[in-house]
Amino acid sequence: MVTLNKIYTRTGDGGSTRLATGAPVSKASLRVEAYGGVDETNAFLGVARQYTAHDPQLDAMLERIQNDLFDLGADLATPEQHEKPAWEPLRIVESQVERLEQEIDRLNDELSSLTSFVLPAGSPASAALHVARTVCRRAERVVVLLSETEGEVVGKPALKYLNRLSDLLFVAARWANDKGAGDVLWKPGATR
């Protein structure tokens, strides 16, 4: 359990922070950037949920995902080391990825087929979910870069989770557009 009694500590005033392991790192480190991107995704989901409260199925899904994103942040903030920490690190697991896949399929089964690319528009909920999707994709790119950095380890389920989440957010954005009926489709060359 996390206990936060004091919000500011002044320990980061010099540009450093500590990972969950206690190791000091620059606030500009790739690992901090990675879990910061996950935090941004979570914040944008919070904004999107201001528009999905009327849809109990979608809103409950997004709330669960917000909790998963805290798990993912904890995973990324606790790099794998040669010595095992005194506690069991929280890691994203395959069942969390599988749940996203099931939810994608469940939502997608009720959507109309696409005939073009979808513009990030339509209802306020849809537009907000598209923003969350693009922020998630950016976070995914940083986590991939971290995983490709020598000496850094990122679990495969963590990478898969972000990849599936961006897919789910695309499908959820269409769902929020009257199950695809309100999608705004790209018209190639229409403004020439």
Side-chain angles (χ1 to χ4, degrees), residues 6-192:
K6 188 164 182 164
I7 300 304
Y8 67 91
T9 63
R10 296 186 177 115
T11 57
D13 290 353
S16 66
T17 189
R18 292 192 182 274
L19 298 175
T21 59
V25 295
S26 167
K27 288 185 176 186
S29 79
L30 200 51
R31 186 163 291 276
V32 174
E33 183 69 23
Y35 66 72
V38 169
D39 190 33
E40 282 184 81
T41 302
N42 204 341
F44 276 103
L45 282 180
V47 172
R49 289 188 63 213
Q50 301 307 301
Y51 303 107
T52 62
H54 67 281
D55 185 333
Q57 180 181 356
L58 183 57
D59 196 58
M61 191 181 303
L62 296 176
E63 181 180 16
R64 186 199 46 73
I65 289 167
Q66 284 191 289
N67 279 281
D68 281 354
L69 288 174
F70 261 85
D71 290 355
L72 179 55
D75 185 334
L76 294 169
T78 314
E80 292 189 23
Q81 303 173 336
H82 296 296
E83 314 96 40
K84 293 239 180 211
W87 73 97
E88 184 65 32
L90 187 57
R91 302 284 182 215
I92 291 293
V93 294
E94 287 292 334
S95 61
Q96 289 169 296
V97 176
E98 290 165 4
R99 187 180 321 118
L100 286 179
E101 291 173 349
Q102 292 164 3
E103 290 168 337
I104 291 167
D105 291 343
R106 188 168 48 249
L107 292 176
N108 201 47
D109 282 348
E110 296 189 44
L111 298 179
S112 57
S113 297
L114 277 175
T115 57
S116 182
F117 288 106
V118 175
L119 298 179
S123 71
S126 179
L129 287 164
H130 277 296
V131 172
R133 173 186 57 80
T134 62
V135 173
C136 181
R137 282 286 189 208
R138 180 169 26 120
E140 180 186 11
R141 290 189 300 271
V142 174
V143 172
V144 167
L145 184 58
L146 177 66
S147 75
E148 293 173 347
T149 301
E150 187 174 338
E152 295 286 1
V153 177
V154 174
K156 288 190 186 299
L159 282 169
K160 285 184 189 178
Y161 188 90
L162 281 171
N163 187 267
R164 292 310 179 288
L165 178 57
S166 59
D167 293 337
L168 180 137
L169 293 173
F170 175 78
V171 171
R174 294 197 63 222
W175 172 276
N177 262 344
D178 196 20
K179 297 184 180 177
D183 283 341
V184 180
L185 300 180
W186 174 45
K187 298 171 188 152
T191 59
R192 288 184 182 179

